[in-house]
Amino acid sequence: MKHAVRCLKYSSEVQKRVLKKEPALLMDVKRIVNHIPTRHLDKALESSLYLVAVHTGARAVTLANVKLSHITKVVRSKVTNKLLCTIIYYRAKGQYDWGREITIEGNEEEEKDDDPIYRLSLYVYQKTGIRLSNWNEDKVKTNLNKLIWPLSVDSMRERFKNRAVSAGYPRHLFCFHSLRSGFICTALIMSNQDAETQRAIMEKTAFIAGWNPIRLSQCGYIKDAVKRAMVASRLIAPPCEGQKQQVFDETLLELEVFHGISFKEEVPKEKSAMEKYTELVNERIRKYFGEVIVEEAKRERYIKNGAKKLIEENEELMMVAEYRMKEINDKKEEEQRKTDLYSVAASIAYKFIQDQFHFQGKTPEEMAELFCSKAESCTSKAPVRKYNHKVDRRSHMTVYERRKKEREEVLKDRKRNEKTTLEE
């Protein structure tokens, strides 16, 4: 009986080890970011998200609640001449007012796959039209109440898994929490110093990521991962003359050796007609505006104008659009703003282009040329207007949002009073 219990206990421990996720080291994240296609629209979003997570040890629930207003200051270091960006994390596991300030460092001018500042600056510029180096002066020109990464926790997790698979990793090797464990594992491995220095790193990473220093919650992340990169005999072997003994060996830190995997050969997938069409349109948008990274507002204006022009010149599409607008407006109240053609044009045009590929045998080049010629005939190259969205510190809403809410409350009170009068 004793032997049977021991076997059951051992088998459960082995199963736990098999199901346990690996830490995603900084080198892993660098490989994953490098394998995201350069022309992918969300590359700036995803790469900045993964790099900030692995450099700060933040959970998905923390990053999903970070707003533009939480970027408090951006200054240039006098020592390294790099940008220092301070972000406040308000949300944590079970906490809604955490208020922890985290500072990351990097260079926004030099392109690197492991630089969080370069990727974050690109994404913030794509989202708001403002570079991080000018953030302190120009941040009043944008709506600071917007989320930086407008993704759910589940979406972040699945995107990271899919990107890891695209980079050649097994599907069940990583999860988004692997970035949190990769933060402390990378910090310890990169230190490669004596016990006192490693103890100090454990304490500093605990302060940043929110662990209890050198407790089970923190040590659980590094128990198995760091041991596999250590050379035990070097702890007692005498060091070579003029050299310091290195506990971690670079050969054991190679990604395939460290994780015990072999990267799969990448087989390029054949792109669908819609994917080719999207790439052609995005390339045309960049060429039209003369920018490598086009702001979201400019791209949206280009797409909606082209879709509206396409629908106005097609009687069948115009009938579909009128029916769609009537269907939406019938559900709205009299005081609400009515939906117009500009709002529904993009979805109708997208369905029309798909049908042209499937039923009419059109090529992506033909449809991209048709759509872009119509869009460029009615789209201005002028910069997007910037509004001074001041944020109320108490309500955390812009002036426009606060006034809109006040108007809605006035309308509700008016209806309530009318209903009371009728009942009397």
Side-chain angles (χ1 to χ4, degrees):
M1 188 69 180
K2 188 176 180 181
H3 178 70
V5 170
R6 186 181 300 168
C7 290
L8 286 172
K9 184 178 179 182
Y10 176 73
S11 64
S12 64
E13 289 295 324
V14 171
Q15 189 176 8
K16 284 180 184 176
R17 261 185 239 124
V18 170
L19 296 175
K20 193 174 181 181
K21 302 297 183 182
E22 289 278 304
L25 304 178
L26 180 59
M27 296 82 79
D28 293 309
V29 179
K30 183 178 179 180
R31 177 184 173 86
I32 291 170
V33 170
N34 187 40
H35 278 74
I36 300 176
T38 306
R39 298 301 183 185
H40 195 278
L41 284 177
D42 286 340
K43 176 165 185 175
L45 183 152
E46 293 186 29
S47 57
S48 62
L49 174 66
Y50 305 151
L51 286 170
V52 170
V54 78
H55 277 87
T56 61
R59 297 182 176 91
V61 68
T62 301
L63 297 172
N65 290 275
V66 178
K67 298 181 179 180
L68 288 170
S69 59
H70 298 167
I71 302 178
T72 55
K73 59 186 175 184
V74 180
V75 296
R76 190 169 293 278
S77 172
K78 295 180 180 178
V79 179
T80 61
N81 200 31
K82 295 182 179 180
L83 288 183
L84 302 174
C85 177
T86 302
I87 305 174
I88 300 181
Y89 290 157
Y90 282 103
R91 182 74 187 274
K93 187 177 179 181
Q95 297 182 20
Y96 294 85
D97 54 351
W98 198 31
R100 189 174 293 254
E101 289 191 3
I102 307 294
T103 301
I104 53 178
E105 183 184 35
N107 189 351
E108 71 171 358
E109 288 86 15
E110 186 178 354
E111 181 177 2
K112 285 185 178 180
D113 289 331
D114 58 351
D115 192 332
I117 291 295
Y118 175 78
R119 296 294 174 183
L120 182 61
S121 180
L122 271 184
Y123 176 56
V124 170
Y125 177 75
Q126 182 180 342
K127 191 178 184 68
T128 64
I130 303 172
R131 292 283 185 184
L132 275 184
S133 54
N134 303 324
W135 181 255
N136 296 334
E137 297 81 16
D138 298 341
K139 64 181 179 181
V140 294
K141 297 179 182 178
T142 188
N143 184 1
L144 296 177
N145 203 39
K146 286 183 179 179
L147 293 172
I148 296 182
W149 299 285
L151 300 173
S152 65
V153 174
D154 293 335
S155 179
M156 289 181 180
R157 180 181 67 244
E158 294 304 320
R159 285 195 183 209
F160 183 67
K161 286 181 182 178
N162 293 335
R163 290 302 176 198
V165 171
S166 300
Y169 292 93
R171 177 162 290 278
H172 301 291
L173 188 71
F174 292 139
C175 64
F176 196 88
H177 209 74
S178 299
L179 296 169
R180 182 171 169 84
S181 56
F183 165 62
I184 184 171
C185 290
T186 306
L188 275 176
I189 289 170
M190 290 299 180
S191 66
N192 211 352
Q193 300 292 330
D194 53 23
E196 289 297 324
T197 306
Q198 291 179 358
R199 183 182 179 87
I201 287 174
M202 293 281 286
E203 292 178 354
K204 290 173 184 176
T205 52
F207 297 150
I208 292 171
W211 290 300
N212 291 324
I214 318 179
R215 296 291 181 87
L216 184 61
S217 59
Q218 185 188 26
C219 295
Y221 289 101
I222 60 173
K223 185 177 179 182
D224 297 325
V226 175
K227 285 191 297 186
R228 71 184 72 163
M230 296 176 66
V231 182
S233 58
R234 292 183 183 179
L235 296 172
I236 59 174
C240 300
E241 294 183 4
Q243 295 183 0
K244 197 170 184 178
Q245 190 71 286
Q246 302 292 326
V247 179
F248 298 101
D249 192 274
E250 292 184 1
T251 306
L252 297 177
L253 292 176
E254 293 178 2
L255 298 182
E256 291 183 312
V257 178
F258 184 81
H259 296 297
I261 60 173
S262 58
F263 291 122
K264 300 176 183 177
E265 294 183 4
E266 299 175 16
V267 179
K269 294 183 179 180
E270 186 177 353
K271 296 179 181 177
S272 64
M274 203 64 200
E275 289 175 338
K276 292 179 182 177
Y277 164 80
T278 305
E279 284 188 359
L280 290 170
V281 171
N282 290 333
E283 187 65 35
R284 189 75 173 263
I285 291 174
R286 283 188 283 267
K287 187 177 179 181
Y288 180 71
F289 288 106
E291 299 175 0
V292 178
I293 303 294
V294 181
E295 295 179 44
E296 287 183 4
K298 287 184 179 180
R299 185 178 182 279
E300 183 180 0
R301 181 174 65 187
Y302 185 96
I303 296 293
K304 286 188 174 182
N305 284 340
K308 184 181 176 184
K309 187 80 171 175
L310 183 68
I311 291 172
E312 287 175 343
E313 296 180 0
N314 190 312
E315 293 183 2
E316 293 182 3
L317 291 180
M318 196 65 195
M319 291 174 61
V320 174
E322 288 174 354
Y323 176 78
R324 179 79 60 82
M325 288 187 291
K326 185 177 183 302
E327 187 181 17
I328 296 172
N329 290 328
D330 288 344
K331 297 178 182 179
K332 292 185 176 182
E333 298 179 3
E334 295 181 0
E335 295 83 3
Q336 290 181 312
R337 183 181 176 183
K338 300 300 181 183
T339 301
D340 56 2
L341 179 60
Y342 189 77
S343 303
V344 300
S347 59
I348 296 173
Y350 184 84
K351 183 69 170 61
F352 169 74
I353 292 167
Q354 279 186 325
D355 292 342
Q356 293 297 307
F357 293 144
H358 296 157
F359 304 115
Q360 301 298 328
K362 298 286 187 180
T363 63
E365 291 78 10
E366 291 175 346
M367 294 308 299
E369 179 62 33
L370 173 67
F371 181 83
C372 293
S373 61
K374 295 187 182 300
E376 291 170 7
S377 65
C378 58
T379 303
S380 171
K381 293 184 180 180
V384 180
R385 289 180 62 188
K386 303 292 182 182
Y387 297 94
N388 190 353
H389 296 277
K390 294 183 179 179
V391 178
D392 187 357
R393 292 185 178 179
R394 294 183 179 179
S395 61
H396 297 286
M397 293 189 298
T398 63
V399 175
Y400 171 76
E401 291 171 342
R402 182 167 53 80
R403 289 176 181 172
K404 183 180 178 181
K405 188 176 180 181
E406 289 173 356
R407 286 196 299 270
E408 290 175 354
E409 291 176 355
V410 169
L411 289 172
K412 286 181 182 178
D413 292 339
R414 189 182 300 170
K415 287 184 178 180
R416 197 182 299 115
N417 293 335
E418 290 175 358
K419 187 177 180 181
T420 306
T421 306
L422 288 172
E423 289 177 354
E424 292 177 353

